[in-house]
Amino acid sequence: MAEKDLHRIAVIGGDGIGPEVVAESLRVIEALGVSIAPTAFDLGAARYLRDGFVLDDATLEELRSYDAILLGAIGPALGDTRIPGGTLERGLLLRMRFGLDLYINYRPFHGVPGSLAEGCSFAIVRENTEGPYAGEGGVLRHGTIHEIATQGSVNTRFGVERCVRYAFERAVALERPKVTLVHKTNVLTYAGDLWQRVVHHVAGDYPGVATDYNHVDAACIYLVDDPARYGIIVTDNLFGDILSDLAGAVSGGIGYAASGNLNPARTGPSLFEPVHGAAHDIAGTGRANPLAAISSTALMLEHLGELTAARRLETAVAEFDADVSVLSTSGVTDELLKRL
């Protein structure tokens, strides 16, 4: 897709601070001169509490027609028990991932000054449509003392290989190309063996990329003690979910962490969102840090082929040295725009 095309963007502000940080992202896109046609979709906890709607087939098909999806945050306020657990996670977020085949979750991290990962840049490539989140399992004798609950991890050769290949493609562009598989092969012998064999097979096509392996518990230690050892981490859905939150914490906080739920095959739109949640406690106060949403927007621009704008925005965020704790949400954006 060439730069300067008009991009149709589905915008899901969602809940809490979600609409606030998305609004700042749209300000930045306008300042960069990228042509978009945004369409707002009312989805999330507030919508569910109003009329019980989560995501139907017709809305999912409508979303499929867009070039990309920009999402703020989804979820009820802490302690609000009016929405049954899993309703939004499975009915909205996971349904979009599975329905739109968003099989890669890509999360880049750049350690901000003062963080444990200061000066380090690395990324996690997480398989996004399989693993324990695929929904395989069940319950027998529910509610009795003999209850049995099973939750399987689904790993296909096709799904694992397309994820691993994406990780190697990302690694090729690094100054020190390296892919580290993170799993638990000594215990999860079937799934772990599949992942390890696929990495070994794919590595043969990328002789310039170094490879490594860490057990997931060791990777948690290394992310804290030595994050510079990583280039690209590739892992399954569950481990990637956990590790990316830890990586956000050591890089300066999830207020800076961006993510792309990607369909690299481009059979549908990809979805871009900050890693942080809805943070209802600060919604409306002007205290939300929009940099994670803005960094996610840079990923979206890259995916849309707006490479010049994406690089400008990435550089501005990387060089952002103002104290976000003393700036309002819009104030952070104001300072960022000065650096564009």
Side-chain angles (χ1 to χ4, degrees), residues 13-66:
D15 305 304
I17 63 171
E20 300 172 36
V21 296
V22 164
E24 301 307 311
S25 294
L26 295 176
R27 279 183 64 197
V28 170
I29 293 172
E30 181 181 5
L32 286 165
V34 177
S35 299
I36 66 169
T39 300
F41 284 78
D42 183 13
L43 299 170
R47 174 70 187 275
Y48 178 84
L49 291 172
R50 190 165 67 248
D51 60 18
F53 184 86
V54 181
L55 179 66
D56 60 11
D57 292 342
T59 305
L60 184 62
E61 284 305 306
E62 187 178 357
L63 289 170
R64 195 185 305 279
S65 68
Y66 284 82

Short mmCIF file of all heavy atoms in Angstrom, two decimals, residues 13-66:
data_model
loop_
_atom_site.label_atom_id
_atom_site.label_comp_id
_atom_site.label_asym_id
_atom_site.label_seq_id
_atom_site.Cartn_x
_atom_site.Cartn_y
_atom_site.Cartn_z
N GLY A 13 -12.99 3.09 20.81
CA GLY A 13 -12.45 3.77 21.99
C GLY A 13 -12.56 2.90 23.21
O GLY A 13 -11.63 2.82 24.02
N GLY A 14 -13.70 2.23 23.38
CA GLY A 14 -13.87 1.30 24.48
C GLY A 14 -14.22 1.97 25.78
O GLY A 14 -15.09 2.86 25.83
N ASP A 15 -13.53 1.61 26.85
CA ASP A 15 -13.93 1.99 28.21
C ASP A 15 -12.83 2.77 28.92
O ASP A 15 -11.66 2.75 28.54
CB ASP A 15 -14.24 0.72 29.00
CG ASP A 15 -15.29 -0.15 28.32
OD1 ASP A 15 -16.38 0.37 28.05
OD2 ASP A 15 -15.00 -1.33 28.04
N GLY A 16 -13.22 3.42 30.02
CA GLY A 16 -12.26 4.11 30.87
C GLY A 16 -11.47 5.16 30.10
O GLY A 16 -12.03 6.04 29.44
N ILE A 17 -10.14 5.03 30.17
CA ILE A 17 -9.28 5.98 29.48
C ILE A 17 -9.13 5.67 27.99
O ILE A 17 -8.49 6.43 27.26
CB ILE A 17 -7.88 6.03 30.12
CG1 ILE A 17 -7.16 4.68 29.99
CG2 ILE A 17 -7.96 6.47 31.58
CD1 ILE A 17 -5.70 4.72 30.41
N GLY A 18 -9.73 4.57 27.54
CA GLY A 18 -9.59 4.18 26.14
C GLY A 18 -9.94 5.27 25.15
O GLY A 18 -9.14 5.61 24.27
N PRO A 19 -11.14 5.88 25.26
CA PRO A 19 -11.48 6.96 24.32
C PRO A 19 -10.53 8.14 24.40
O PRO A 19 -10.27 8.80 23.38
CB PRO A 19 -12.90 7.36 24.75
CG PRO A 19 -13.46 6.13 25.42
CD PRO A 19 -12.28 5.51 26.12
N GLU A 20 -9.99 8.42 25.58
CA GLU A 20 -9.09 9.56 25.75
C GLU A 20 -7.77 9.35 25.01
O GLU A 20 -7.28 10.25 24.32
CB GLU A 20 -8.83 9.81 27.23
CG GLU A 20 -10.09 10.11 28.04
CD GLU A 20 -9.82 10.15 29.54
OE1 GLU A 20 -8.74 10.61 29.95
OE2 GLU A 20 -10.69 9.69 30.30
N VAL A 21 -7.17 8.16 25.16
CA VAL A 21 -5.87 7.93 24.52
C VAL A 21 -6.03 7.74 23.01
O VAL A 21 -5.14 8.11 22.24
CB VAL A 21 -5.12 6.74 25.17
CG1 VAL A 21 -4.80 7.05 26.62
CG2 VAL A 21 -5.90 5.44 25.05
N VAL A 22 -7.16 7.18 22.58
CA VAL A 22 -7.41 7.06 21.15
C VAL A 22 -7.56 8.43 20.51
O VAL A 22 -7.07 8.68 19.40
CB VAL A 22 -8.66 6.19 20.89
CG1 VAL A 22 -9.17 6.37 19.46
CG2 VAL A 22 -8.33 4.72 21.12
N ALA A 23 -8.22 9.34 21.20
CA ALA A 23 -8.37 10.71 20.68
C ALA A 23 -7.01 11.36 20.44
O ALA A 23 -6.81 12.07 19.45
CB ALA A 23 -9.21 11.55 21.65
N GLU A 24 -6.05 11.10 21.35
CA GLU A 24 -4.71 11.65 21.17
C GLU A 24 -4.01 11.01 19.98
O GLU A 24 -3.26 11.67 19.24
CB GLU A 24 -3.89 11.47 22.44
CG GLU A 24 -4.48 12.14 23.67
CD GLU A 24 -4.79 13.62 23.45
OE1 GLU A 24 -3.91 14.34 22.95
OE2 GLU A 24 -5.92 14.03 23.78
N SER A 25 -4.24 9.73 19.77
CA SER A 25 -3.66 9.04 18.61
C SER A 25 -4.17 9.65 17.31
O SER A 25 -3.41 9.85 16.36
CB SER A 25 -4.01 7.55 18.66
OG SER A 25 -3.38 6.91 19.76
N LEU A 26 -5.44 9.96 17.27
CA LEU A 26 -6.02 10.56 16.07
C LEU A 26 -5.45 11.96 15.83
O LEU A 26 -5.24 12.37 14.69
CB LEU A 26 -7.54 10.59 16.17
CG LEU A 26 -8.23 9.22 16.22
CD1 LEU A 26 -9.74 9.38 16.43
CD2 LEU A 26 -7.96 8.42 14.95
N ARG A 27 -5.19 12.70 16.91
CA ARG A 27 -4.54 14.01 16.78
C ARG A 27 -3.17 13.87 16.11
O ARG A 27 -2.80 14.67 15.24
CB ARG A 27 -4.34 14.65 18.15
CG ARG A 27 -5.53 15.34 18.76
CD ARG A 27 -5.12 15.98 20.08
NE ARG A 27 -4.12 17.03 19.90
CZ ARG A 27 -3.36 17.53 20.88
NH1 ARG A 27 -3.45 17.05 22.11
NH2 ARG A 27 -2.49 18.49 20.63
N VAL A 28 -2.43 12.86 16.54
CA VAL A 28 -1.08 12.66 16.00
C VAL A 28 -1.14 12.28 14.53
O VAL A 28 -0.34 12.77 13.71
CB VAL A 28 -0.34 11.59 16.83
CG1 VAL A 28 0.96 11.20 16.15
CG2 VAL A 28 -0.07 12.09 18.23
N ILE A 29 -2.07 11.41 14.17
CA ILE A 29 -2.20 11.01 12.77
C ILE A 29 -2.48 12.23 11.89
O ILE A 29 -1.90 12.40 10.82
CB ILE A 29 -3.31 9.95 12.60
CG1 ILE A 29 -2.91 8.65 13.29
CG2 ILE A 29 -3.59 9.69 11.12
CD1 ILE A 29 -4.02 7.61 13.34
N GLU A 30 -3.37 13.09 12.38
CA GLU A 30 -3.68 14.31 11.62
C GLU A 30 -2.45 15.19 11.48
O GLU A 30 -2.18 15.72 10.39
CB GLU A 30 -4.80 15.08 12.33
CG GLU A 30 -5.21 16.35 11.61
CD GLU A 30 -6.30 17.11 12.33
OE1 GLU A 30 -6.68 16.70 13.45
OE2 GLU A 30 -6.79 18.12 11.78
N ALA A 31 -1.67 15.33 12.56
CA ALA A 31 -0.48 16.17 12.51
C ALA A 31 0.56 15.62 11.53
O ALA A 31 1.32 16.38 10.93
CB ALA A 31 0.11 16.29 13.90
N LEU A 32 0.59 14.31 11.38
CA LEU A 32 1.55 13.68 10.47
C LEU A 32 1.11 13.79 9.01
O LEU A 32 1.88 13.46 8.11
CB LEU A 32 1.72 12.20 10.82
CG LEU A 32 2.53 11.91 12.09
CD1 LEU A 32 2.32 10.48 12.55
CD2 LEU A 32 4.00 12.19 11.86
N GLY A 33 -0.12 14.22 8.79
CA GLY A 33 -0.60 14.38 7.43
C GLY A 33 -1.03 13.10 6.75
O GLY A 33 -1.14 13.06 5.51
N VAL A 34 -1.28 12.06 7.53
CA VAL A 34 -1.75 10.79 6.97
C VAL A 34 -3.26 10.87 6.78
O VAL A 34 -3.99 11.28 7.69
CB VAL A 34 -1.39 9.61 7.89
CG1 VAL A 34 -1.95 8.31 7.33
CG2 VAL A 34 0.12 9.52 8.05
N SER A 35 -3.72 10.47 5.62
CA SER A 35 -5.15 10.56 5.30
C SER A 35 -5.89 9.32 5.80
O SER A 35 -5.60 8.20 5.35
CB SER A 35 -5.34 10.70 3.79
OG SER A 35 -4.72 11.87 3.31
N ILE A 36 -6.81 9.52 6.73
CA ILE A 36 -7.61 8.42 7.22
C ILE A 36 -9.08 8.80 7.21
O ILE A 36 -9.44 9.98 7.25
CB ILE A 36 -7.20 7.99 8.65
CG1 ILE A 36 -7.50 9.10 9.67
CG2 ILE A 36 -5.75 7.55 8.70
CD1 ILE A 36 -7.37 8.64 11.11
N ALA A 37 -9.91 7.78 7.15
CA ALA A 37 -11.36 7.94 7.29
C ALA A 37 -11.78 7.09 8.48
O ALA A 37 -11.98 5.87 8.35
CB ALA A 37 -12.08 7.50 6.02
N PRO A 38 -11.84 7.68 9.69
CA PRO A 38 -12.17 6.90 10.88
C PRO A 38 -13.68 6.69 11.06
O PRO A 38 -14.48 7.58 10.76
CB PRO A 38 -11.61 7.76 12.01
CG PRO A 38 -11.69 9.16 11.49
CD PRO A 38 -11.53 9.08 10.01
N THR A 39 -14.03 5.50 11.52
CA THR A 39 -15.42 5.19 11.85
C THR A 39 -15.46 4.64 13.26
O THR A 39 -14.76 3.67 13.58
CB THR A 39 -16.01 4.14 10.89
OG1 THR A 39 -15.95 4.65 9.55
CG2 THR A 39 -17.46 3.82 11.24
N ALA A 40 -16.26 5.26 14.13
CA ALA A 40 -16.33 4.84 15.53
C ALA A 40 -17.26 3.64 15.69
O ALA A 40 -18.35 3.60 15.10
CB ALA A 40 -16.81 6.00 16.39
N PHE A 41 -16.83 2.69 16.52
CA PHE A 41 -17.64 1.52 16.88
C PHE A 41 -17.81 1.52 18.40
O PHE A 41 -16.84 1.61 19.14
CB PHE A 41 -16.96 0.22 16.43
CG PHE A 41 -17.08 -0.05 14.96
CD1 PHE A 41 -16.26 0.62 14.06
CD2 PHE A 41 -18.00 -0.96 14.48
CE1 PHE A 41 -16.36 0.38 12.70
CE2 PHE A 41 -18.12 -1.21 13.13
CZ PHE A 41 -17.30 -0.54 12.22
N ASP A 42 -19.04 1.44 18.82
CA ASP A 42 -19.38 1.45 20.25
C ASP A 42 -19.36 0.02 20.78
O ASP A 42 -20.35 -0.71 20.69
CB ASP A 42 -20.75 2.09 20.44
CG ASP A 42 -21.15 2.20 21.91
OD1 ASP A 42 -20.27 2.01 22.77
OD2 ASP A 42 -22.33 2.48 22.18
N LEU A 43 -18.22 -0.40 21.31
CA LEU A 43 -18.05 -1.76 21.82
C LEU A 43 -17.31 -1.70 23.15
O LEU A 43 -16.49 -0.82 23.37
CB LEU A 43 -17.25 -2.61 20.82
CG LEU A 43 -17.86 -2.81 19.43
CD1 LEU A 43 -16.83 -3.45 18.49
CD2 LEU A 43 -19.12 -3.65 19.50
N GLY A 44 -17.61 -2.65 24.03
CA GLY A 44 -16.91 -2.71 25.30
C GLY A 44 -17.86 -2.89 26.47
O GLY A 44 -19.03 -3.24 26.31
N ALA A 45 -17.33 -2.65 27.68
CA ALA A 45 -18.10 -2.87 28.89
C ALA A 45 -19.29 -1.93 28.99
O ALA A 45 -20.39 -2.35 29.38
CB ALA A 45 -17.18 -2.69 30.11
N ALA A 46 -19.08 -0.66 28.66
CA ALA A 46 -20.18 0.30 28.75
C ALA A 46 -21.32 -0.10 27.83
O ALA A 46 -22.51 -0.02 28.22
CB ALA A 46 -19.69 1.70 28.41
N ARG A 47 -20.99 -0.53 26.62
CA ARG A 47 -22.03 -0.98 25.68
C ARG A 47 -22.75 -2.21 26.23
O ARG A 47 -23.99 -2.31 26.17
CB ARG A 47 -21.41 -1.28 24.32
CG ARG A 47 -22.37 -1.88 23.29
CD ARG A 47 -23.41 -0.88 22.82
NE ARG A 47 -24.42 -1.48 21.97
CZ ARG A 47 -24.30 -1.65 20.64
NH1 ARG A 47 -23.20 -1.25 20.02
NH2 ARG A 47 -25.29 -2.18 19.95
N TYR A 48 -22.01 -3.16 26.77
CA TYR A 48 -22.63 -4.37 27.32
C TYR A 48 -23.58 -4.03 28.47
O TYR A 48 -24.68 -4.57 28.56
CB TYR A 48 -21.55 -5.34 27.79
CG TYR A 48 -22.13 -6.59 28.42
CD1 TYR A 48 -22.53 -7.66 27.63
CD2 TYR A 48 -22.30 -6.69 29.80
CE1 TYR A 48 -23.08 -8.81 28.20
CE2 TYR A 48 -22.85 -7.82 30.38
CZ TYR A 48 -23.24 -8.87 29.57
OH TYR A 48 -23.80 -9.99 30.14
N LEU A 49 -23.16 -3.15 29.35
CA LEU A 49 -24.00 -2.78 30.49
C LEU A 49 -25.24 -2.02 30.04
O LEU A 49 -26.28 -2.05 30.73
CB LEU A 49 -23.20 -1.94 31.48
CG LEU A 49 -22.09 -2.69 32.23
CD1 LEU A 49 -21.25 -1.72 33.05
CD2 LEU A 49 -22.70 -3.77 33.13
N ARG A 50 -25.17 -1.37 28.90
CA ARG A 50 -26.30 -0.60 28.41
C ARG A 50 -27.35 -1.48 27.75
O ARG A 50 -28.55 -1.34 28.00
CB ARG A 50 -25.81 0.45 27.43
CG ARG A 50 -26.85 1.47 27.04
CD ARG A 50 -26.23 2.68 26.36
NE ARG A 50 -25.66 2.35 25.05
CZ ARG A 50 -24.37 2.37 24.79
NH1 ARG A 50 -23.50 2.69 25.74
NH2 ARG A 50 -23.92 2.07 23.59
N ASP A 51 -26.89 -2.44 26.92
CA ASP A 51 -27.89 -3.23 26.19
C ASP A 51 -27.53 -4.69 25.99
O ASP A 51 -28.20 -5.41 25.25
CB ASP A 51 -28.18 -2.59 24.83
CG ASP A 51 -26.95 -2.48 23.94
OD1 ASP A 51 -25.95 -3.19 24.19
OD2 ASP A 51 -26.96 -1.70 22.97
N GLY A 52 -26.46 -5.16 26.66
CA GLY A 52 -26.10 -6.58 26.58
C GLY A 52 -25.37 -6.98 25.32
O GLY A 52 -25.10 -8.17 25.11
N PHE A 53 -24.99 -6.01 24.48
CA PHE A 53 -24.32 -6.32 23.22
C PHE A 53 -22.83 -6.50 23.42
O PHE A 53 -22.18 -5.72 24.13
CB PHE A 53 -24.57 -5.19 22.21
CG PHE A 53 -24.01 -5.46 20.84
CD1 PHE A 53 -24.74 -6.16 19.91
CD2 PHE A 53 -22.74 -5.01 20.49
CE1 PHE A 53 -24.23 -6.41 18.64
CE2 PHE A 53 -22.22 -5.25 19.23
CZ PHE A 53 -22.98 -5.96 18.30
N VAL A 54 -22.27 -7.54 22.80
CA VAL A 54 -20.81 -7.75 22.84
C VAL A 54 -20.24 -7.60 21.42
O VAL A 54 -19.61 -6.61 21.09
CB VAL A 54 -20.46 -9.13 23.44
CG1 VAL A 54 -18.94 -9.30 23.49
CG2 VAL A 54 -21.04 -9.27 24.83
N LEU A 55 -20.45 -8.58 20.56
CA LEU A 55 -20.00 -8.51 19.17
C LEU A 55 -20.75 -9.57 18.39
O LEU A 55 -20.63 -10.76 18.68
CB LEU A 55 -18.49 -8.76 19.07
CG LEU A 55 -17.88 -8.73 17.67
CD1 LEU A 55 -17.99 -7.33 17.06
CD2 LEU A 55 -16.43 -9.19 17.67
N ASP A 56 -21.55 -9.14 17.41
CA ASP A 56 -22.30 -10.11 16.61
C ASP A 56 -21.62 -10.34 15.27
O ASP A 56 -20.63 -9.68 14.92
CB ASP A 56 -23.76 -9.66 16.42
CG ASP A 56 -23.88 -8.32 15.70
OD1 ASP A 56 -22.86 -7.82 15.16
OD2 ASP A 56 -24.99 -7.77 15.67
N ASP A 57 -22.16 -11.30 14.50
CA ASP A 57 -21.55 -11.66 13.21
C ASP A 57 -21.54 -10.48 12.25
O ASP A 57 -20.56 -10.28 11.52
CB ASP A 57 -22.32 -12.83 12.58
CG ASP A 57 -22.15 -14.12 13.34
OD1 ASP A 57 -21.20 -14.23 14.15
OD2 ASP A 57 -22.97 -15.04 13.15
N ALA A 58 -22.62 -9.70 12.24
CA ALA A 58 -22.71 -8.59 11.29
C ALA A 58 -21.65 -7.53 11.58
O ALA A 58 -21.02 -7.01 10.66
CB ALA A 58 -24.11 -7.98 11.35
N THR A 59 -21.42 -7.23 12.86
CA THR A 59 -20.41 -6.23 13.21
C THR A 59 -19.01 -6.73 12.91
O THR A 59 -18.15 -5.98 12.44
CB THR A 59 -20.53 -5.83 14.69
OG1 THR A 59 -21.87 -5.40 14.96
CG2 THR A 59 -19.57 -4.72 15.05
N LEU A 60 -18.78 -8.02 13.17
CA LEU A 60 -17.47 -8.59 12.85
C LEU A 60 -17.20 -8.50 11.36
O LEU A 60 -16.08 -8.16 10.93
CB LEU A 60 -17.40 -10.04 13.32
CG LEU A 60 -16.05 -10.74 13.14
CD1 LEU A 60 -14.95 -10.05 13.94
CD2 LEU A 60 -16.15 -12.22 13.55
N GLU A 61 -18.21 -8.78 10.54
CA GLU A 61 -18.04 -8.69 9.09
C GLU A 61 -17.81 -7.25 8.66
O GLU A 61 -17.04 -6.98 7.73
CB GLU A 61 -19.26 -9.27 8.38
CG GLU A 61 -19.31 -10.78 8.38
CD GLU A 61 -18.03 -11.39 7.81
OE1 GLU A 61 -17.64 -11.03 6.67
OE2 GLU A 61 -17.40 -12.21 8.50
N GLU A 62 -18.48 -6.31 9.31
CA GLU A 62 -18.25 -4.91 9.00
C GLU A 62 -16.81 -4.51 9.33
O GLU A 62 -16.15 -3.81 8.54
CB GLU A 62 -19.24 -4.02 9.76
CG GLU A 62 -19.17 -2.56 9.36
CD GLU A 62 -20.18 -1.69 10.08
OE1 GLU A 62 -21.00 -2.23 10.85
OE2 GLU A 62 -20.14 -0.46 9.88
N LEU A 63 -16.31 -4.95 10.47
CA LEU A 63 -14.93 -4.65 10.84
C LEU A 63 -13.95 -5.22 9.82
O LEU A 63 -12.90 -4.62 9.54
CB LEU A 63 -14.61 -5.23 12.22
CG LEU A 63 -15.27 -4.52 13.42
CD1 LEU A 63 -15.07 -5.35 14.68
CD2 LEU A 63 -14.70 -3.12 13.60
N ARG A 64 -14.29 -6.36 9.25
CA ARG A 64 -13.41 -7.02 8.29
C ARG A 64 -13.16 -6.14 7.05
O ARG A 64 -12.15 -6.31 6.36
CB ARG A 64 -14.01 -8.35 7.87
CG ARG A 64 -13.06 -9.30 7.16
CD ARG A 64 -13.77 -10.56 6.67
NE ARG A 64 -14.47 -11.23 7.74
CZ ARG A 64 -13.90 -12.07 8.61
NH1 ARG A 64 -12.61 -12.30 8.51
NH2 ARG A 64 -14.62 -12.66 9.55
N SER A 65 -14.04 -5.21 6.78
CA SER A 65 -13.92 -4.40 5.57
C SER A 65 -12.97 -3.22 5.73
O SER A 65 -12.68 -2.52 4.76
CB SER A 65 -15.30 -3.87 5.15
OG SER A 65 -15.78 -2.92 6.09
N TYR A 66 -12.45 -2.99 6.93
CA TYR A 66 -11.58 -1.83 7.18
C TYR A 66 -10.12 -2.18 6.94
O TYR A 66 -9.73 -3.36 6.92
CB TYR A 66 -11.80 -1.30 8.60
CG TYR A 66 -13.10 -0.52 8.73
CD1 TYR A 66 -14.31 -1.18 8.90
CD2 TYR A 66 -13.11 0.86 8.62
CE1 TYR A 66 -15.51 -0.48 8.97
CE2 TYR A 66 -14.29 1.57 8.69
CZ TYR A 66 -15.48 0.90 8.86
OH TYR A 66 -16.67 1.60 8.93
#
